[in-house]
Short mmCIF file of all heavy atoms in Angstrom, two decimals:
data_model
loop_
_atom_site.label_atom_id
_atom_site.label_comp_id
_atom_site.label_asym_id
_atom_site.label_seq_id
_atom_site.Cartn_x
_atom_site.Cartn_y
_atom_site.Cartn_z
N LYS A 867 -3.27 -4.36 8.27
CA LYS A 867 -3.42 -4.26 6.81
C LYS A 867 -2.06 -4.25 6.11
O LYS A 867 -1.80 -5.02 5.19
CB LYS A 867 -4.22 -3.01 6.45
CG LYS A 867 -5.63 -3.02 7.04
CD LYS A 867 -6.38 -1.73 6.80
CE LYS A 867 -5.89 -0.55 7.59
NZ LYS A 867 -6.02 -0.69 9.05
N THR A 868 -1.21 -3.35 6.57
CA THR A 868 0.11 -3.24 5.94
C THR A 868 0.98 -4.43 6.31
O THR A 868 1.65 -5.02 5.45
CB THR A 868 0.80 -1.92 6.37
OG1 THR A 868 0.02 -0.84 5.88
CG2 THR A 868 2.21 -1.82 5.81
N LYS A 892 2.21 7.71 3.49
CA LYS A 892 3.30 7.64 4.48
C LYS A 892 4.53 8.36 3.93
O LYS A 892 4.92 8.14 2.79
CB LYS A 892 3.70 6.19 4.72
CG LYS A 892 2.79 5.43 5.66
CD LYS A 892 3.26 3.98 5.74
CE LYS A 892 2.32 3.15 6.59
NZ LYS A 892 2.37 1.73 6.23
N ASP A 954 0.54 0.23 -0.88
CA ASP A 954 0.22 0.41 0.53
C ASP A 954 -0.47 1.76 0.76
O ASP A 954 0.04 2.80 0.34
CB ASP A 954 1.52 0.33 1.34
CG ASP A 954 1.28 0.29 2.84
OD1 ASP A 954 0.28 -0.30 3.29
OD2 ASP A 954 2.12 0.86 3.58
N GLU A 955 -1.61 1.74 1.40
CA GLU A 955 -2.42 2.92 1.72
C GLU A 955 -3.02 3.57 0.47
O GLU A 955 -3.37 4.75 0.49
CB GLU A 955 -1.64 3.98 2.54
CG GLU A 955 -0.70 3.46 3.63
CD GLU A 955 -1.36 2.75 4.80
OE1 GLU A 955 -2.62 2.74 4.86
OE2 GLU A 955 -0.64 2.18 5.63
N THR A 986 -3.79 -1.82 0.25
CA THR A 986 -4.16 -1.68 1.65
C THR A 986 -4.74 -0.29 1.93
O THR A 986 -4.54 0.64 1.16
CB THR A 986 -2.97 -1.90 2.63
OG1 THR A 986 -2.24 -0.67 2.79
CG2 THR A 986 -2.03 -2.99 2.16
MG1 LIG B 556 -1.21 0.52 6.80
#
Side-chain angles (χ1 to χ4, degrees):
K867 299 174 289 297
T868 296
K892 280 176 184 155
D954 189 35
E955 320 295 354
T986 85

